[in-house]
Structures are given as structure tokens and as C-alpha cells.
Amino acid sequence: MDNTTLTPASYAQANEAAYLAELIEFLRIPSISTQPERADDVAAAAAWMAGAMRDAGIENVRLIKTARHPLIYGDWLHAGPEAPTVLIYGHYDVQPADPLELWESPPFEPDVRGDYLYARGSSDDKGQAYVHVKAVEAYLKTNGRLPVNVKFIIEGEEESGGESLEAFIPQNKELLAADIALVSDTGILSPDQPAIVYGLRGMCYMLLDITGPGRDLHSGSFGGGIDNPLNALSHIIAKLKDEDGHVLIPGFYDGVRPLTDDEREVLSQLPRDEEKWLAETGAPQLWGEPEFALVERLGARPTLDVNGIIGGYTGAGGKTVLPSHAHAKISMRLVPDQDPQEIERLFREYVTKIAPPTVNVTMKNLSSSPASVTDYTMPAMVAAAAAYEQVFGKSPVYMREGGSIPVIAAFQTHLGLETVLMGFGLPDDRIHSPNERFYLPNFYRGIQTSIRFLEEFGKSES
Ligand code: BES
Ligand code: ZN
């Protein structure tokens, strides 16, 4: 086929089946960044992505070693000095797949059922990151050029805090310099209602270690005389928030920037179907701070959650024991203008105060990143809205999301770069859960939307 007779959009459309086959290959690699024993798989996924970028015609593609997982850089910079530069970010690492028994098809054996591709990482974020590689390829294989300069920076640690990229950015400002960052690692409201996310929450993630006796003790001989670290941990956890979801750490809310009336109004008009949203979770009821609307609780209010508790006997039957230690993983989602370091300090101070003297407590920070908000009237947002409208037939709504992408704040701080979060996920993609999936029409529309965005942004003055 002589590709030069095709437009980028029609080329991408003609190659959908091939793109799906490639994505399936990528998804077979279990690149779980939090688990050290998966480091080789993570490296293999990086190498795969670098190869795919080279095949797409992206230049200067290289793997960059870091203290943990490799970064991938690549660019195409021949659009001319007047043309704007877009820095495209994505991540090739994925969340752990457990509990494995709940998957209907194995997490790393991608399976197409109906309109969906099932696999860990299909939506978050391999499928969404791949969208842009294919959009760029569609230009280079047809027109032989792009309407803008592009740079890619793809990381392998997003799901475990993103430290290596965060360290890399301030030292490579020139390499990463751009006019705008473009990221697809969020979702839209429904297949026919696109959305641009203009705010993400930040994170302060703490590990709490409680130790008591020097060994596990018989709970009959010692129970009543020696404190039990699991019980002590439960008391500490119970004092962190009240039953309505208000965090009880003094000063926790001091930095929270209240929503303006305008923003409350914008958010209240989001066409989110709360009943459907609840039904998809399987929970019996909605929950959270009663004085805030759901959309505000998810996007504009901070939270505190226990993600995991480790300790004691969890095998078959009963074992009568006072465990010698107990641990909890606790995350706090932050909003503008809470400072993650200050929140960590307040958390440590409060836990130290409420911990009983009968156990020893140590705390470790596992991840810290501030929240981010972007101006939704800037030219790149206008270009993104036009692109969505052309492909989805409807203009996007603007919303804040509850999740976090640590690098966005680092782009702002070190590179002065604003980000367009142009997502293609859906609320029922089950990211981080069993049976994660990507709605395939959104994969293909994503490629089309990226093609249009590059075109539109090339036309706008940046
Ligand atoms: N894709 C998500 C972020 C996200 C989730 C955006 C939901 C919008 C809606 C991202 O991969 C993610 O899960 N990030 C982690 C970061 C954390 C480990 C610092 C998160 O939010 O838990
Ligand atoms: Zn993600």
C-alpha cells in the first residue's frame, strides 16, 4: 500500500487490527514496578516500548538507566523552530494483579471479549500510552512529518511513586523543554461523553510499623499483661478519622484551598450518573463527608485510607498468639494547597502522640507528591477540546479526578510546563482491580483524538 495517499487519520484507521495485536504483545509483559522480583519484566517492557517507538519513526529513542526502572526518551523535532513542542508522557509499569483468583482470564494473557481488551495495564497505562506512539506513527508514515515537535518521556515507576523520573527532570530541563505536556492516564465520563481532567490529587503515603514483645507470645499466658501490637495499631487507626470520613489529624485541613462558587457550580453540572457509578463498585451505599457532594469528595477533598494491614496469624484455623509486630500502609490523598511534607510532619506528630507507650512505633514515607490543577482555558486545552469534539462528536466536560500522577506537579515546578490530561479510560475499566480492561473503541478513538490534537495545537499559538 502506498501510504502517502492516506491521511494520518485514515492510515490509523486502516491499521487498527495491527495496533491491537501489538498492544496485546506489550500487555503480555508483567511489568509490575512495586515488586523487586519483577525488575527483569519491567526492563523487558521498557525495551519493547523503545522498539515500538523506533518502529513508529520516532528518533533518538533511548533507554535511560535510573536507580530503579529505566526511562524511555525519544523525539521528532523537525516541525520547525516556530512550531510548538509537545512533551508526551506515559507509564509502562502496572499495578500488581492480585487477587489473581478473581480474574476471569489471566492478567498477563490479554483477552478480547466483545468490545473490551482484558489485561492488567490495558487501560492504566500501556494502552493509553501506546495511543500517542501510534498517532505519531500515522503522521510519519503518511505525511513524513508532524505538525508539531514531539518529545516522549515514558517511565516505569508511576505506580510506585515515580521517584526516578522526579530526580531526572530537574537535571534534564533542556532535554525535556516543551510548550505543553500531553498525558493520557485518566478517564472520560462515558463512551459518548469525553472529559478533560484539570485537577489531580496528590499523595502522602506512610508505612506504620508497630513492635511490642521481642517474639510472638502465648495469648493465654501473656494476654492481659502485655500489649498486643495489632490491638494498639487498631486503636491508632481508629483515631485517624471519624466515621463520616473527617480526618482527625490536627492541622490536616489547614492548607486545603476551598472551592470557589464558580468551580462548585461547574462540578455540580457534571453529568455523572451516581447510581450507576455506585452499582459498578458493588458497595451497598455511597459514603463520605456528608457536607460535600460526591464529585467534590472525589476531586477536591483530601482523604486518608488504610490500604493494607499486616500482622499476626492468618493461616487456617485459630492460633492463640500475641503477635510481636503489626504494620499498616496508610495513604493520604491531598488537594491544593496541602504540602505533602507538612502533612507527613503532622501525621508523624499525631501518631506519636496517640500511640500508647506499651508499643514502639516507627514510620516511613513511601511516596509524596503535591496535587495539581491546570487552567482549563489555555490554548492547549482548547485544542484538546476541539480534538475530542471532532472524534467523539461531543465537546468534553471539565473535571477533577481523585487519582494521582506524581510527575504532573514536577513538570509544573521544574519545567514550568502545564499538562493536558487527555484520557481515554472509562469509569468501569477496573484499573488497579481484577479484570482491568480497555474499551477498544476508545483505544482507536484515542489515536484519532491524538492525531487531531497535534494538528489543532500546531495551528494555535502556544
Ligand atoms: N492512572 C492512575 C491515576 C488516575 C487514577 C487518574 C484514576 C485518574 C483516575 C495512575 O496510574 C495511578 O494509579 N497513580 C497512583 C499514583 C500513586 C502510587 C502515587 C495512584 O493514584 O494511586
Ligand atoms: Zn496509570
Side-chain angles (χ1 to χ4, degrees), residues 422-456:
M422 199 169 77
F424 303 106
L426 288 176
D428 58 2
D429 278 354
R430 308 171 187 151
I431 63 171
H432 297 203
S433 294
N435 304 305
E436 177 178 348
R437 61 188 188 176
F438 195 17
Y439 182 58
L440 286 171
N442 275 16
F443 176 46
Y444 307 129
R445 282 182 206 144
I447 298 168
Q448 297 293 338
T449 309
S450 174
I451 289 172
R452 264 79 170 186
F453 171 79
L454 298 175
E455 178 77 40
E456 291 292 327

Side-chain angles (χ1 to χ4, degrees), residues 33 89 91 93 124 155-162 185 404-406:
S33 59
Y89 161 88
H91 63 93
D93 64 319
D124 182 11
E155 72 162 317
E157 290 174 27
E158 195 274 347
E159 300 291 5
S160 52
D185 192 20
S404 312
I405 307 176

